[in-house]
Amino acid sequence: MNVTIESFFCPYCDEVAEIFLRLIDTILLAGSETELRQGIENLKTRVPLDDYFVYGFGAHHFWVHQRKASGPDAAVQTQAIEN
């Protein structure tokens, strides 16, 4: 699997920086889509992932956008993609 970070990450607080690193570790350590899905579900139980990131699975990739600090309903056009 290949991981591509297409733009910047905004570490506006310590918690979001720690969660971002855990998210990247989860993506990098996954050996398959099933492991990635399980890893993301496990991460969601340990940290408030949904408070800081919007993410999902496409047909052949996993995408992530960071939520804006000023409005959690809006997302920064920052993403990490795993193919």
Side-chain angles (χ1 to χ4, degrees), residues 7-54:
S7 56
F8 69 93
F9 166 72
C10 180
Y12 54 81
C13 71
D14 290 342
E15 186 174 43
V16 74
E18 179 184 342
I19 292 171
F20 179 72
L21 291 174
R22 286 182 172 204
L23 178 61
I24 295 299
D25 284 347
T26 299
I27 294 169
L28 290 173
L29 294 173
S32 67
E33 179 183 344
T34 302
E35 288 179 11
L36 179 58
R37 287 180 183 272
Q38 291 171 344
I40 295 299
E41 287 300 316
N42 184 35
L43 187 61
K44 284 173 38 177
T45 64
R46 298 185 346 216
V47 298
L49 185 64
D50 294 335
D51 291 351
Y52 296 106
F53 296 95
V54 179

